[in-house]
Amino acid sequence: MSLHDLHINVHHLTRVEGHGNIVVKVRDGKVETCHFEVVEAPRYFEAMLRGRSWYEAAIITSRICGICSIGHQMASIQATEAALCLEPSEQTIALRKLLIDAGTISSHILHVVFLAAPDALGVPSAFALIDKNFHAVEIALKSKRMANDLCDYLGGRMIHPITCVPGGFTKLPEVSELKKFKERIQKELIPILFEFADIVYSVKDNFPAFTRETEFIALKNKKEYALYNGDIASTDGGVLPKDKYLEVTNEKIVPHSTAKHCSHKRSSYMVGALARLNNNYSQLSKTAKQVAERFGLKPVNCNPYMNNIAQLVEAVHCAETAMARIDEICAKGICPEEPPRELRTRGGRGVGATEVPRGVLFHDYTYDSTGRITKANCIIPTNENFANIDDDMKKLVPEMIEQNLAEDKMKLHLEMLVRAYDPCISCSVHMTRLD
Amino acid sequence: MSTGKKVRVAFFDFTGCEGCQLAKISMENELLGILQHVDIVNFREAMTEASWDFDVAFIEGSISSTSCVERIHKIRRLAKYVVALGSCSSIAGINAIRTGQDFDDVRKEVYGEYRYNFASLPALPVDQVVKVDAYIYGCPPNPKDVLKFLTQLLSGKTPEVVKYPVCVDCKLKENDCLMLRGIPCMGPVTRAGCGAWCPSNNQFCYGCRGLVPDANKNAMHEVLDKNRLSVQEILNKFKLYSAYYTEVKK
């Protein structure tokens, strides 16, 4: 390694959700400091949940994060239902899954096009793309609108949905409207997603060819590509029931971050689209697999920058499954059901696990006999990824020095690395309870 | 605001979920039109280039750390017009639930023995730290409300402030009253402007826009009591979004 002094400090990294700094210090070619600092102010959600009623938990935890609000509601509702022995109907589950499909598409488009793609296209933001490639911005907005319209319709609104509550939906969709959404997905959304695939393919060489072996963790469900629920699977082998999530996450506090770090079988693990794809590739839809093949994305892929591509693949997968789900829901017809407004309970503990766009999310609540929370724990995908990001940086920085990359290029590759994880820092400092 | 040249707009995020900013990116149909009238010069969540030369600053999130306090002062010094965007910023919102709880206890619950590693304050609405010129309420703000606000601001009008409760919006929508169906709803004491978003979806209003001026809290307590809610449940309903005003500014 050549002798090298380097000091990179990216204060409040842009185009990520929340506040974080990249800090790299190299002296005489030796890496002294190399990590991603989380500087978001702590938010104390677990303490806020104490004493709150079963019908309020999802309203509160949804506010952990605007982008992931659908996922937080799903994990929260599943935890509450498990704790209070509340069984949702098949219709409710089908509608929740459809809401997740739409939310995942919207979040992935937002991340790939607005937050990550500007790096690959060499512009500082998607706003700058308006002059350079107006068409791309226009179709990005159009496709996101379509996914958001479906969320708005099912959930009452896309950010912090209203209708999705423990035990069911406060307002149900109509078959005729759902059929219209299916047509829009088929005729408009899927062609646009293919167009994105073309655009991203044209700049694919701008994503660094970095790899590092690590453990990939995602939910697994025998019936389908797991997003709504499943058991915990790892590319290092083994499947655990969701209730045993603490054996996987092992959260610990590190001095450079208000967000906690996680590790399982190695010093770190990765969650998110790439981890899901690495664990459940065979369950992807046919077209989604074709997109993956085009980019040479096969399991187990160990390039974290490929998470952007995995998101694109998942967007196609979710669009296709959403169409199939709508067909199924419409064939059965919508049954008029109402969620319970009052509950009798003996109390108890329940765990909810959902794949949100950024990875597997766990909510764990204990309720007393009046239906109020006595203890809560939330484990956020971005926290699970932080240790992995640090480990990636520790391998990437010496490699970049070896390749004699210019400092601005190194900085760009580090920023792109963190962005590839699609971190959600507001989420990550929500914060979690210490046991 | 002058209408001659493009207004320079900046967005700053403090402690919150960043859903309000997302709400703005989610105005897909209107976004390109809005950009013909404003220049977005600082928006960390969406862009890398950043300028500190702006006319209007939209503030999202609560003030909850010493660095937040410094940053909001810098923004106030430079901005001609400061807008509190969303509940965390305008009324401290969900972040304020912990107001009134023992703060050391809250910190111990989450960080244990490491609780003094991270400088943190009880969450405050922005106007408790610097002057705020206008408010956009809601968690999240309703895009229609945001658009109306922007239109008024850009055409030089003073943005309208809603001083009536959600029940008015609900009646205008001809919704059935949830209370009459036995579903406790905070509509009677909550600031309107959302178009009765939740009640229109058969969900009770949980007060995300804060208390309407001169809300009759005692009457509301009585109504909730008649709905067989326990005292703790009633207090929780008020404290979900308005804890700062029920605990600190009684």
Side-chain angles (χ1 to χ4, degrees):
Chain A
M1 194 185 289
S2 60
L3 287 185
H4 210 299
D5 277 348
L6 184 67
H7 193 175
I8 292 175
N9 190 346
V10 181
H11 182 69
H12 286 188
L13 176 65
T14 57
R15 278 185 279 123
V16 296
E17 210 270 2
H19 298 95
N21 307 333
I22 295 173
V23 181
V24 173
K25 275 184 205 150
V26 177
R27 193 173 299 174
D28 296 338
K30 193 171 157 280
V31 180
E32 286 183 344
T33 313
C34 180
H35 58 223
F36 184 57
E37 287 179 349
V38 174
V39 292
E40 186 85 17
R43 301 184 58 205
Y44 308 103
F45 268 93
E46 277 87 349
M48 291 182 197
L49 283 168
R50 239 180 358 196
R52 287 286 166 175
S53 296
W54 62 278
Y55 53 81
E56 290 172 322
I59 296 172
I60 295 172
T61 51
S62 173
R63 270 70 186 182
I64 291 175
C65 173
I67 300 188
C68 322
S69 54
I70 293 175
H72 278 290
Q73 287 199 348
M74 293 298 170
S76 176
I77 288 168
Q78 289 186 66
T80 296
E81 287 175 344
L84 305 179
C85 302
L86 196 58
E87 195 80 43
S89 69
E90 259 180 53
Q91 175 177 295
T92 295
I93 292 175
L95 291 173
R96 284 179 189 168
K97 287 181 176 176
L98 185 57
L99 187 54
I100 291 181
D101 285 335
T104 307
I105 296 168
S106 173
S107 173
H108 281 352
I109 293 173
L110 173 72
H111 179 251
V112 175
V113 180
F114 291 92
L115 308 183
D119 290 323
L121 296 163
V123 291
S125 77
F127 299 122
L129 273 181
I130 293 172
D131 299 329
K132 208 171 168 178
N133 192 343
F134 184 77
H135 176 68
V137 178
E138 206 176 29
I139 61 169
L141 290 171
K142 194 174 159 194
S143 60
K144 220 172 104 13
R145 184 68 261 163
M146 264 183 270
N148 288 359
D149 280 347
L150 182 52
C151 296
D152 282 343
Y153 182 63
L154 288 173
R157 64 185 169 216
M158 188 248 164
I159 301 158
H160 307 313
I162 298 165
T163 61
C164 192
V165 299
F169 280 78
T170 59
K171 193 175 184 180
L172 291 163
E174 282 168 29
V175 165
S176 57
E177 288 298 315
L178 287 180
K179 283 185 177 161
K180 283 186 212 157
F181 276 111
K182 188 200 160 184
E183 207 174 296
R184 279 174 78 188
I185 296 172
Q186 193 164 23
K187 292 197 176 142
E188 299 175 58
L189 180 63
I190 291 187
I192 289 178
L193 291 175
F194 284 142
E195 217 176 311
F196 286 148
D198 288 339
I199 295 171
V200 177
Y201 191 80
S202 70
V203 293
K204 72 173 180 7
D205 296 334
N206 293 348
F207 292 104
F210 166 82
T211 59
R212 185 181 67 84
E213 261 191 47
T214 186
E215 184 181 8
F216 294 92
I217 289 178
L219 292 182
K220 198 176 211 43
N221 189 323
K222 277 187 196 125
K223 290 186 191 145
E224 60 184 2
Y225 190 85
L227 290 176
Y228 174 67
N229 62 357
D231 295 321
I232 309 164
S234 158
T235 48
D236 281 358
V239 175
L240 281 172
K242 64 178 180 181
D243 296 355
K244 303 230 170 185
Y245 74 98
L246 288 171
E247 289 177 25
V248 176
T249 55
N250 304 302
E251 278 194 312
K252 63 173 186 288
I253 290 177
V254 292
H256 62 270
S257 153
T258 49
K260 293 167 191 176
H261 280 203
C262 293
S263 60
H264 181 220
K265 292 187 177 171
R266 308 176 187 227
S267 62
S268 58
Y269 66 86
M270 180 171 179
V271 296
L274 186 62
R276 289 192 286 265
L277 198 134
N278 279 337
N279 275 291
N280 302 317
Y281 183 87
S282 65
Q283 290 165 306
L284 281 171
S285 73
K286 203 173 139 201
T287 325
K289 273 186 199 153
Q290 285 166 357
V291 176
E293 276 163 24
R294 189 176 174 201
F295 285 89
L297 182 53
K298 271 186 270 176
V300 173
N301 184 295
C302 291
N303 179 352
Y305 294 96
M306 288 302 268
N307 195 46
N308 297 308
I309 311 300
Q311 289 185 326
L312 194 59
V313 170
E314 282 195 339
V316 174
H317 172 82
C318 287
E320 286 198 306
T321 26
M323 289 198 300
R325 275 193 226 289
I326 291 176
D327 280 345
E328 228 172 281
I329 294 166
C330 293
K332 285 183 184 159
I334 297 283
C335 171
E337 300 170 336
E338 273 211 48
R341 300 287 182 177
E342 285 178 62
L343 269 188
R344 279 182 190 286
T345 175
R346 279 176 302 180
R349 181 181 165 204
V351 174
T354 294
E355 285 285 347
V356 297
R358 289 148 196 85
V360 58
L361 164 71
F362 301 99
H363 281 219
D364 175 357
Y365 307 149
T366 306
Y367 281 95
D368 66 13
S369 59
T370 63
R372 301 229 307 268
I373 291 179
T374 54
K375 188 179 166 178
N377 187 20
C378 306
I379 295 200
I380 309 295
T382 295
N383 288 69
E384 297 175 78
N385 277 332
F386 279 138
N388 209 64
I389 295 177
D390 278 6
D391 282 352
D392 279 349
M393 284 170 59
K394 281 181 192 122
K395 181 166 188 273
L396 179 64
V397 168
E399 282 183 12
M400 291 195 297
I401 293 171
E402 193 82 30
Q403 292 158 10
N404 271 322
L405 279 192
E407 196 172 319
D408 57 345
K409 198 97 183 167
M410 284 195 201
K411 195 173 145 208
L412 177 67
H413 284 191
L414 284 166
E415 290 189 10
M416 285 172 79
L417 175 74
V418 178
R419 280 190 198 113
Y421 282 82
D422 193 3
C424 202
I425 300 166
S426 310
C427 266
S428 71
V429 295
H430 63 285
M431 289 289 300
T432 23
R433 167 196 281 273
L434 271 177
D435 284 304
Chain B
M1 291 299 115
S2 69
T3 48
K5 65 178 179 52
K6 277 190 175 186
V7 176
R8 294 171 68 82
V9 170
F11 296 98
F12 297 98
D13 43 7
F14 288 80
T15 305
C17 79
E18 304 195 5
C20 301
Q21 302 192 15
L22 190 64
K24 230 169 307 94
I25 309 183
S26 297
M27 291 163 49
E28 293 88 357
N29 297 336
E30 298 83 17
L31 191 62
L32 293 174
I34 294 169
L35 289 176
Q36 290 175 1
H37 300 283
V38 300
D39 271 330
I40 298 177
V41 300
N42 199 323
F43 188 174
R44 189 197 52 78
E45 196 177 3
M47 58 202 272
T48 293
E49 69 275 39
S51 162
W52 285 87
D53 173 16
F54 46 78
D55 304 307
V56 184
F58 286 88
I59 311 298
E60 180 187 356
S62 309
I63 306 302
S64 79
S65 73
T66 44
S67 66
C68 288
V69 174
E70 279 171 32
R71 203 152 62 89
I72 193 67
H73 277 82
K74 180 177 176 189
I75 292 163
R76 180 69 263 189
R77 272 202 304 281
L78 297 171
K80 294 191 185 95
Y81 202 75
V82 170
V83 184
L85 173 65
S87 294
C88 292
S89 168
S90 52
I91 57 172
I94 287 269
N95 286 323
I97 290 181
R98 56 187 167 95
T99 315
Q101 294 178 13
D102 183 295
F103 192 37
D104 201 53
D105 199 36
V106 167
R107 299 175 82 167
K108 197 156 46 175
E109 166 118 7
V110 180
Y111 290 102
E113 60 179 299
Y114 299 95
R115 62 188 178 281
Y116 301 122
N117 283 20
F118 313 108
S120 176
L121 299 165
L124 296 172
V126 173
D127 65 6
Q128 296 302 304
V129 184
V130 296
K131 180 174 177 267
V132 167
D133 301 297
Y135 300 83
I136 302 178
Y137 296 98
C139 179
N142 191 314
K144 282 181 202 151
D145 210 21
V146 176
L147 201 63
K148 191 169 132 198
F149 180 92
L150 283 175
T151 314
Q152 289 173 337
L153 186 71
L154 293 174
S155 55
K157 289 181 189 153
T158 310
E160 186 184 315
V161 185
V162 174
K163 288 179 181 165
Y164 51 85
V166 170
C167 290
V168 175
D169 278 353
C170 218
K171 290 284 171 292
L172 287 171
K173 288 225 162 170
E174 300 183 4
N175 292 332
D176 288 339
C177 179
L178 291 173
M179 297 275 228
L180 296 177
R181 288 168 51 194
I183 301 170
C185 176
M186 292 295 277
V189 286
T190 301
R191 186 193 310 272
C194 58
W197 217 347
C198 293
S200 302
N201 282 287
N202 294 326
Q203 171 69 309
F204 52 83
C205 167
Y206 39 83
C208 79
R209 301 167 67 88
L211 296 173
V212 70
D214 303 321
N216 190 341
K217 286 188 255 180
N218 291 339
M220 191 69 214
H221 272 275
E222 274 173 40
V223 171
L224 293 175
D225 187 51
K226 275 188 198 144
N227 275 276
R228 300 192 309 279
L229 261 60
S230 67
V231 174
Q232 189 57 49
E233 278 180 303
I234 293 171
L235 289 175
N236 276 353
K237 285 222 174 249
F238 276 97
K239 283 171 63 177
L240 191 58
Y241 276 89
S242 295
Y244 182 76
Y245 298 90
T246 48
E247 286 293 325
V248 180
K249 295 190 123 191
K250 285 190 187 183

